[in-house]
Amino acid sequence: MGTDATKLYYYTRADTMRSILTSGMFWATNILYMNDSEEYLNGLREIRGIMERYKSLNFRDVRVPDKLIHTPDPHIFTISFCTNGDLLSQWCVYARESGVNLELDFSLIKMDEDHPGSFFCPRDCKDADEIAVAAPLKPVIYFTRNVMLEKISEKQVYKRAAEIIERINALGLQSGKDGAEEKISELAAQIKRYEFSAEQEWRLVFNMTEHTVEYKKTPLFYREQDSILKPFIKVAVSERDKATELRPIPWPVTAITVGPGYNQDQVFQSLRYFLNFGNYIRMDDADFRTYALNLYLDKVEASCCPLFKRQTGLSRMISDYKAKTKATPDLIKTNSIRELARTLKDDLVQKFPRCAKVLESIELTSGGIVLQKSDIPYIY
């Protein structure tokens, strides 16, 4: 998907998905408490190595101080996404059996690599206001020089190092200036070991240093895993209204996929009920309903067309349906998109019976979220 990715995927368990949709918040975990606890230190070491190896590039005498590596205590929190919506390794590690992934289209909230998103982070005391923060959405750079030199040419290693150099220069660091260490820490959270490059990861990185100096300002929460208290922050998307006040808006969840598992069908049925009748935060304006219907039609076309060896008229039928809804916007305003999708589904099955089974695994729910099943066979 390259560096202009807007559709990304978040692999997790069904209960976490429910929490995200009902609260409108993701949990961003402190970088020292990720699955690979060494990745942050690897990032710092590689940044230091690049600064020392390419001194002629003039890093303005900025260095990675020893204390960052030997006594790390970063207030950096991240949320990780994947560019692949059906990747076996992600299902196994993050979603486990019959887990889910959430498809998010960040173009819906005008967020990309060059335009950081605006977010709210509630504090852990009930009477405190939210903290407004900005965070960039960037692809992870997979870089471990020693490992890479064993597998690829030095020219290719330098090409990857150049990506890190570009990000270092973008920080505008100056020796002795306040904030340099925090910016280096933030960059280190965007680097992972080369061995994990198959994950195709993007990250939102939150630098909370100015908010964690003292307890009264802290937005921290803690969850226990294997007797470790892992610090995290709760993050809601926000935007400015006409009065320039920040207000929360839903995360741009557009589809949910149920992963491989022995009870995939039961999980699919339970999520269909929740998404149709559950009480959760929805994107519910006319533009999103139009977007959701077109997304459903695209997924139907992508799933059904491979069933036929030659052109059958299926794509034309779907294209005509899109044109009809565009020409008559009142269809979206006055009808349930779920009913509109069901009407098309019935017409498709009548004309193309071979699609019937596939269409049972794709549904447009009443909240505008497309629900579908992973194509990966059950192998656990």
Side-chain angles (χ1 to χ4, degrees), residues 269-283:
Q269 295 296 337
S270 71
L271 295 189
R272 180 169 68 177
Y273 193 91
F274 170 74
L275 293 173
N276 282 324
F277 307 110
N279 182 20
Y280 59 93
I281 302 171
R282 309 178 182 213
M283 301 178 71

Side-chain angles (χ1 to χ4, degrees), residues 27 57 62 74-75 88 104 110 113 127 132-133 143 164 189 225 231 241 261-262 268 284 297 310 322 326 335 337 344:
W27 290 6
L57 295 178
V62 176
H75 302 302
L88 180 59
L104 296 98
K110 300 178 177 60
E113 188 175 1
D127 59 348
V133 295
F143 192 91
I164 299 177
Q225 183 178 344
D241 59 20
Y262 76 95
F268 182 88
D284 197 31
L297 296 175
R310 58 174 67 94
K322 285 183 178 179
K326 183 178 181 179
N335 293 274
I337 55 174
L344 174 68

Side-chain angles (χ1 to χ4, degrees), residues 128-333:
D129 294 331
E130 293 91 350
I131 293 172
V133 295
L137 177 65
K138 291 184 176 292
V140 166
I141 298 175
Y142 294 93
F143 192 91
T144 315
R145 178 179 170 81
N146 292 339
V147 174
M148 295 168 72
L149 287 173
E150 296 175 0
K151 299 182 178 182
I152 59 178
S153 69
E154 186 154 3
K155 183 177 180 180
Q156 290 174 305
V157 173
Y158 176 76
K159 185 177 180 180
R160 189 67 62 88
E163 297 178 37
I164 299 177
I165 293 170
E166 182 179 354
R167 293 195 191 181
I168 293 173
N169 290 332
L171 295 176
L173 302 177
Q174 293 189 30
S175 179
K177 294 289 185 179
D178 290 341
E181 292 182 9
E182 288 77 11
K183 289 180 179 179
I184 290 173
S185 293
E186 187 175 330
L187 177 57
Q190 300 167 13
I191 300 170
K192 289 190 71 169
R193 295 184 64 84
Y194 179 74
E195 301 94 303
F196 294 102
S197 56
E199 292 184 348
Q200 306 170 42
E201 187 175 332
W202 282 57
R203 279 183 174 171
L204 280 169
V205 180
F206 301 88
N207 189 338
M208 304 300 292
T209 303
E210 66 178 287
H211 303 295
T212 51
V213 176
E214 55 181 298
Y215 171 74
K216 291 182 179 179
K217 292 185 177 181
T218 180
L220 298 180
F221 297 81
Y222 297 85
R223 61 184 176 89
E224 184 272 338
Q225 183 178 344
D226 299 328
S227 298
I228 301 171
L229 291 180
K230 295 192 172 187
F232 68 93
I233 57 175
K234 297 178 181 180
V235 183
V237 184
S238 63
E239 69 176 8
R240 293 192 181 276
D241 59 20
K242 294 180 180 179
T244 71
E245 294 291 332
L246 285 171
R247 64 182 182 87
I249 60 174
W251 283 84
V253 178
T254 56
I256 293 173
T257 302
V258 180
Y262 76 95
N263 62 341
Q264 185 186 52
D265 290 340
Q266 293 94 324
V267 174
F268 182 88
Q269 295 296 337
S270 71
L271 295 189
R272 180 169 68 177
Y273 193 91
F274 170 74
L275 293 173
N276 282 324
F277 307 110
N279 182 20
Y280 59 93
I281 302 171
R282 309 178 182 213
M283 301 178 71
D284 197 31
D285 57 84
D287 288 342
F288 177 71
R289 290 197 293 274
T290 301
Y291 171 96
L293 183 59
N294 286 332
L295 177 65
Y296 170 76
L297 296 175
D298 289 341
K299 290 183 180 293
V300 166
E301 183 177 9
S303 298
C304 289
C305 282
L307 299 175
F308 305 93
K309 293 183 178 180
R310 58 174 67 94
Q311 294 289 334
T312 60
L314 187 148
S315 293
R316 166 58 69 180
M317 186 174 177
I318 290 176
S319 179
D320 289 346
Y321 197 78
K322 285 183 178 179
K324 177 183 176 182
T325 56
K326 183 178 181 179
T328 52
D330 284 347
L331 278 176
I332 299 292
K333 294 179 181 178

Side-chain angles (χ1 to χ4, degrees), residues 11-15 17 90-92 94-101 256-268 270-271 372 374 376-380:
Y11 289 77
T12 188
R13 305 289 294 170
D15 193 52
M17 174 222 72
Q90 297 294 96
W91 287 122
C92 293
Y94 299 105
R96 308 295 173 87
E97 190 164 322
S98 299
V100 301
N101 77 41
I256 293 173
T257 302
V258 180
Y262 76 95
N263 62 341
Q264 185 186 52
D265 290 340
Q266 293 94 324
V267 174
F268 182 88
S270 71
L271 295 189
Q372 58 190 4
S374 166
I376 296 176
Y378 175 54
I379 49 82
Y380 292 92

Side-chain angles (χ1 to χ4, degrees), residues 289 292-293 332 335-342 364-368:
R289 290 197 293 274
L293 183 59
I332 299 292
N335 293 274
S336 159
I337 55 174
R338 186 183 177 204
E339 291 302 322
L340 292 174
R342 187 175 295 170
L364 180 59
T365 63
S366 62

